[in-house]
């Protein structure tokens, strides 16, 4: 549902109300809004379902007996656990729907007012009203008839405006879903970092318990192995922390790009929107196809390789004794000397 921003004057109460009734995903008036509990933010049911499906690709239909999955509010990033009904289990916001109905009735009773429209740089009195498909820029009719675009293919401005605006909205949804996936990876990396530290401490305690039973002879060896575990812990922790920083930087860049795209999508003037839309869409697509960041392998945080068995050393210590063969040799040598004498 598309509403012209020129219906109301800037700064009017109705315009302020309109901004509160815009879905942060599709940037259109709410359609069947739902309440995202407990943060109380609203979304179109279809938009909420699109984001939910992107974050939970293996979620089944409402007839399934499995749990619903996780949903992250795009407005405040609050995570909501959904039941097996998914988005359809959320409560509809009837108050917002009634406000939208009243707003539509109020807007339909007001006369349309013309807003500012960009002018052609080559023909100052001509409004930009067509789009040059060949050059991919908005232009005016005089440029098509007499100017630089007379041999170019043109299209109605409104059709190109709607097409690129739809494409931008799809890109925004794609970025939001990508941000949720990045946030999930960051959480997993942080858990892996914590598990690495805990497993390292457990390995140290086990190693100390084994070495404490062997007395001072094994202290030097114990210190050496402890140092190796600490070095491995430091290397793994440093690597995971570097990955967390990289993912956070990517998330921050993507979030800033989302804000820029949302601001651009709020532009209601077709010509003004198309001035920057093509480059912005290209930037979003390139960012979405950006370089893949490294990930840790499964079991990377494990420190099992540093588990040491000292049973054979304990048995060797208990078996230490005088060599009976050496005592027998000394005894027999003494008898031979007495015989010779």
């Amino acid at each position: 549902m598309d509403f012209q921003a020129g219906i109301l004057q800037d700064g009017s109460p109705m315009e302020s109300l309109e901004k509160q009734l815009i879905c942060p995903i599709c940037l259109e008036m709410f359609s069947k809004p739902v309440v995202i509990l407990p943060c109380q933010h609203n979304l179109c049911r279809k938009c909420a379902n699109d984001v939910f499906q992107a974050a939970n690709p293996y979620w089944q239909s409402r007839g399934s007996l499995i749990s619903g999955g996780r949903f992250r509010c795009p407005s405040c990033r609050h995570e909501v656990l959904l039941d097996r009904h998914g988005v359809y289990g959320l409560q509809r916001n009837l108050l917002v729907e009634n406000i939208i109905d009243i707003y539509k009735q109020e807007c339909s009773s007001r006369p349309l007012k013309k807003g500012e429209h960009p002018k052609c740089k080559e023909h100052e009195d001509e409004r930009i009203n067509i789009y040059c498909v060949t050059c991919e820029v908005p232009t005016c009719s005089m440029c098509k008839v007499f100017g630089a675009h007379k041999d170019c293919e043109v299209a109605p401005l409104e059709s190109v405006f709607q097409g690129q605006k739809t494409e931008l909205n799809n890109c925004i949804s794609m970025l939001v879903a990508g941000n949720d996936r990045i946030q999930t990876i960051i959480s997993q990396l942080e858990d892996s970092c914590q598990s690495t530290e805990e497993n390292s401490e457990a390995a140290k305690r086990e190693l100390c318990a084994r070495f404490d039973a062997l007395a001072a002879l094994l202290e030097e060896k114990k210190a050496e192995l402890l140092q190796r575990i600490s070095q491995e812990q430091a290397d793994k922790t440093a690597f995971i922390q570097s990955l967390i920083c990289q993912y956070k930087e990517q998330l921050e860049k993507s979030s800033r790009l989302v804000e820029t795209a949302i601001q651009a999508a709020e532009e209601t003037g077709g010509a003004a929107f198309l001035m920057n839309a093509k480059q912005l869409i290209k930037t979003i697509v390139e960012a979405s196809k950006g370089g893949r960041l490294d990930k840790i392998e499964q079991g990377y945080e494990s420190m099992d390789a540093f588990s040491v068995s000292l049973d054979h050393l304990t048995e060797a210590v208990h078996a230490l004794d005088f060599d009976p063969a050496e005592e027998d040799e000394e005894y027999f040598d003494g008898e031979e000397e007495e015989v010779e004498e």
Side-chain angles (χ1 to χ4, degrees):
M1 188 176 299
D2 191 11
F3 290 87
Q4 298 181 4
I7 294 178
L8 302 173
Q9 295 180 356
D10 295 339
S12 65
M14 291 297 290
E15 184 180 15
S16 299
L17 176 61
E18 179 184 357
K19 293 180 180 179
Q20 300 299 321
L21 301 178
I22 297 299
C23 174
I25 299 298
C26 65
L27 302 179
E28 302 291 347
M29 196 74 70
F30 284 121
S31 175
K32 295 182 180 179
V34 295
V35 177
I36 309 300
L37 296 176
C39 64
Q40 299 296 315
H41 287 117
N42 295 286
L43 289 176
C44 296
R45 175 173 292 174
K46 181 180 182 302
C47 296
N49 189 57
D50 291 341
V51 175
F52 175 72
Q53 292 288 349
N56 301 269
Y58 300 106
W59 182 80
Q60 301 180 9
S61 60
R62 283 184 285 174
S64 174
L65 297 177
I66 63 174
S67 60
R70 300 176 180 271
F71 183 89
R72 193 176 294 277
C73 175
S75 297
C76 64
R77 313 303 301 162
H78 182 83
E79 187 176 68
V80 180
L81 296 178
L82 302 181
D83 58 17
R84 63 188 181 89
H85 299 288
V87 172
Y88 292 90
L90 294 172
Q91 179 183 358
R92 288 178 60 179
N93 194 334
L94 299 179
L95 175 60
V96 173
E97 291 191 58
N98 294 333
I99 293 175
I100 291 175
D101 292 337
I102 297 174
Y103 175 82
K104 292 178 183 177
Q105 295 176 3
E106 179 67 19
C107 290
S108 61
S109 63
R110 291 173 174 265
L112 296 176
K113 295 182 180 181
K114 296 181 180 181
E116 294 183 359
H117 197 93
K119 300 290 185 178
C120 179
K121 294 182 179 179
E122 299 296 332
H123 309 90
E124 297 181 356
D125 296 333
E126 292 293 328
R127 297 172 56 187
I128 295 178
N129 54 4
I130 58 175
Y131 186 81
C132 178
V133 179
T134 304
C135 302
E136 297 183 342
V137 294
T139 184
C140 71
S141 301
M142 295 296 293
C143 290
K144 170 58 181 172
V145 178
F146 305 105
H149 303 283
K150 62 181 180 179
D151 297 326
C152 299
E153 181 184 355
V154 297
L157 191 69
E158 184 64 23
S159 62
V160 180
F161 163 66
Q162 293 297 337
Q164 292 197 11
K165 188 171 184 179
T166 300
E167 185 178 356
L168 180 60
N169 290 334
N170 293 337
C171 290
I172 293 174
S173 300
M174 178 175 59
L175 284 175
V176 171
N179 288 347
D180 288 338
R181 288 191 291 270
I182 292 176
Q183 184 62 50
T184 300
I185 294 175
I186 291 176
S187 299
Q188 293 174 350
L189 289 173
E190 292 175 344
D191 293 340
S192 297
C193 184
Q194 182 179 358
S195 297
T196 300
E197 295 177 353
E198 293 175 354
N199 293 339
S200 298
E201 293 300 324
K204 288 181 180 181
R205 289 193 298 269
E206 179 182 0
L207 190 63
C208 289
R210 292 179 180 274
F211 272 93
D212 289 342
L214 295 178
L217 180 63
L218 300 177
E219 285 297 325
E220 182 178 357
K221 188 64 177 178
K222 179 181 68 173
E224 176 188 348
L225 294 181
L226 283 174
Q227 177 61 30
R228 290 173 57 186
I229 291 179
S230 299
Q231 183 62 44
E232 184 70 9
Q233 174 190 350
D235 293 342
K236 288 187 176 182
T237 303
F239 178 71
I240 296 175
Q241 290 289 359
S242 66
L243 287 182
I244 293 175
C245 293
Q246 294 176 25
Y247 276 102
K248 286 185 176 180
E249 289 177 0
Q250 181 175 339
L251 178 60
E252 183 179 357
K253 292 179 182 178
S254 182
S255 298
R256 290 198 301 266
L257 190 56
V258 168
E259 294 177 359
T260 303
I262 291 176
Q263 293 176 359
E266 291 177 351
E267 177 60 47
T268 57
F273 173 84
L274 293 174
M275 291 293 186
N276 301 314
K278 191 68 178 183
Q279 181 61 37
L280 181 57
I281 293 173
K282 181 179 179 181
T283 302
I284 293 176
V285 172
E286 291 178 355
S288 301
K289 297 178 180 179
R292 301 287 182 179
L293 297 178
D294 293 337
K295 296 181 181 179
I296 61 175
E297 298 179 355
Q298 184 176 4
Y300 179 81
E301 63 272 15
S302 175
M303 303 295 288
D304 294 341
F306 292 90
S307 178
V308 178
S309 176
L310 301 177
D311 294 340
H312 62 290
L313 294 179
T314 303
E315 293 174 359
V317 171
H318 285 299
L320 288 175
D321 199 354
F322 295 107
D323 190 351
E326 293 180 359
E327 292 182 352
D328 292 341
E329 290 177 358
E330 293 177 357
Y331 176 76
F332 289 125
D333 289 341
E335 288 185 340
E336 292 176 357
E337 289 177 357
E338 291 177 355
V339 171
E340 291 178 355
E341 292 177 354

